């Protein structure tokens, strides 16, 4: 800590929500919140979304460079051959309540996964590599298995001839998806793969700093991602659009919420003060997929565009614009994905970023131990039970 910082009082140092406080030196992700620019290892995320695959982007995030042909081939092979989950995990998933949220199931099963693959020596490069492979490869299988089994359907094993996005959609429906659907999901996964020191990543880094194993790092990050102020917002966006229902109700519903000072899901960001660059790409992908659609999806999309227009008119002076969650839900609905799987899909992508931060944290680790400003009482006398009120 610098001498200048040491000289400040705790009150002077205090920043609620750690706003503006750096928690690490990181070379993984760059965000310019004023210009709306997002880069992974220096490469524009929008560029990756149109020219890369999720698997290649995960490699870039984890190892700091794009893979050569040989490296990519080995990486794909390792990811593909580690998608399966043990039958005991399938049995565990069967025992979870079907009414439970898939994020809770994912968090529980990822924690259990660690019991099958002990990874205590977290600085061992072999442990690091295979933990990254297993976690990235198995998360989609866990999400799809929970979804199938809760509906009373058989679990569909992964197919080795499909890429990650295609295989995930296949494991949900037993149908090989159309190429446009695969491409759209792949791009969405790339755009969700990393986003610097957000709440779940910070949570993961805190857990990593204790030298806990990567399965615990990821399960704690999943817990943080599930909240409605973070990844949970994408599911809430669909609930909002459905609550609005028709174009004529956009104005009264949104204005009513703004008046009551309620937050509109899918808007606002701690870092971006302009429209989130990821939402441009997701909006375009949604528009392309919905071009020929009719009915419910088309209607939801039209309502979403109207909500954006009104929100810009009402709150853009505060720097509130659509974030990544606003258009992702409409896109996933078009792919036939259930609304409560939107946040688990976010986790399937963000696990690449969490693991990149896990590796980075371990390179120069110091356990996180911030201060607090104590505002409670002191030196209080113990009162016996009969005198308490
Ligand atoms: N709808 C309406 N107003 C919003 C808003 C939203 N989604 N997000 C922020 N605001 C307003 C706040 O009411 C506040 O206004 P005020 O200054 O008049 O009180 C101002 O903008 C600043 O908001 P604040 O909550 O302090 O920002 P934050 O940086 O702490 O929070 C989020 C960032 C993302 C948590 C917040 O924007 C939010 O809750 N968004 C909705 C959930 C969401 O989409 N999360 C996914 C993020 S990727």
């Amino acid at each position: 800590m610098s001498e200048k910082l040491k000289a400040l009082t705790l009150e002077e140092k205090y920043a609620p929500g750690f706003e503006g406080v750096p928690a690490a030196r990181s070379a993984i992700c760059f965000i310019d919140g004023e210009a709306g620019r997002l880069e992974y290892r220096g490469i524009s995320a929008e560029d990756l979304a149109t020219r890369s695959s999720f698997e290649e982007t995960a490699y870039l995030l984890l190892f700091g460079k794009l893979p050569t042909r040989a490296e990519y081939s080995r990486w794909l092979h390792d990811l593909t051959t580690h998608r399966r989950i043990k039958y005991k995990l399938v049995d565990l998933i069967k025992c979870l309540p079907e009414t439970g949220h898939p994020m809770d199931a994912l968090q529980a099963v990822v924690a259990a996964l660690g019991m099958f693959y002990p990874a205590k020596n977290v600085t061992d490069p072999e442990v690091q590599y295979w933990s990254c492979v297993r976690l990235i490869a198995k998360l989609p299988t866990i999400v799809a298995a929970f979804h199938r089994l809760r509906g009373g359907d058989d679990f569909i094993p992964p197919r080795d001839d499909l890429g990650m996005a295609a295989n995930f959609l296949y494991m949900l429906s037993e149908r090989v998806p159309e190429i446009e659907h695969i491409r759209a999901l792949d791009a969405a996964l790339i755009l969700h793969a990393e986003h610097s020191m957000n709440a779940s990543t910070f949570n993961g880094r805190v857990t990593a700093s204790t030298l806990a194993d990567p399965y615990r790092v990821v399960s704690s990050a999943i817990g943080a991602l599930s909240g409605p102020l973070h990844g949970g917002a994408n599911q809430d966006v669909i609930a909002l659009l459905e609550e609005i229902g028709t174009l004529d109700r956009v104005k009264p519903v949104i204005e009513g919420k703004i008046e009551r000072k309620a937050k509109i899901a899918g808007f606002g960001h701690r870092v971006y003060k302009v429209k989130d660059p990821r939402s441009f790409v997701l909006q375009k992908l949604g528009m392309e997929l919905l071009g020929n659609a009719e009915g419910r999806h088309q209607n939801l999309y039209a309502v979403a565009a109207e909500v954006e227009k009104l929100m810009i008119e009402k709150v853009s002076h505060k720097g509130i614009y659509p974030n990544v969650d606003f258009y992702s839900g409409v896109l996933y609905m078009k792919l036939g994905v259930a609304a409560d799987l939107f946040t688990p899909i976010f986790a399937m992508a963000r696990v690449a970023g969490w693991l990149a931060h896990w590796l980075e944290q371990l390179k120069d680790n110091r356990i996180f131990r911030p201060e607090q400003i104590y505002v409670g009482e002191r030196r209080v006398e113990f009162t016996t039970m009969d005198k308490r009120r």
Side-chain angles (χ1 to χ4, degrees), residues 16-17 19 195 198 227-234 236-237 257-258 261-273 276 278 311 315 317-326 346 350:
E19 184 167 3
H195 211 233
N198 53 83
L229 294 187
H230 194 4
N234 57 10
D236 293 346
V237 170
K257 285 187 188 291
I258 292 175
K261 292 202 167 298
K263 296 265 179 76
I264 310 296
F267 282 84
H269 201 276
R270 175 64 61 77
V271 182
Y272 292 120
K273 297 306 162 207
D276 185 328
R278 299 167 296 176
M311 283 292 284
V315 291
H317 62 279
K318 294 185 191 173
I320 307 297
Y321 288 91
N323 58 47
V324 70
D325 294 315
F326 191 62
F346 194 157
R350 186 56 58 84

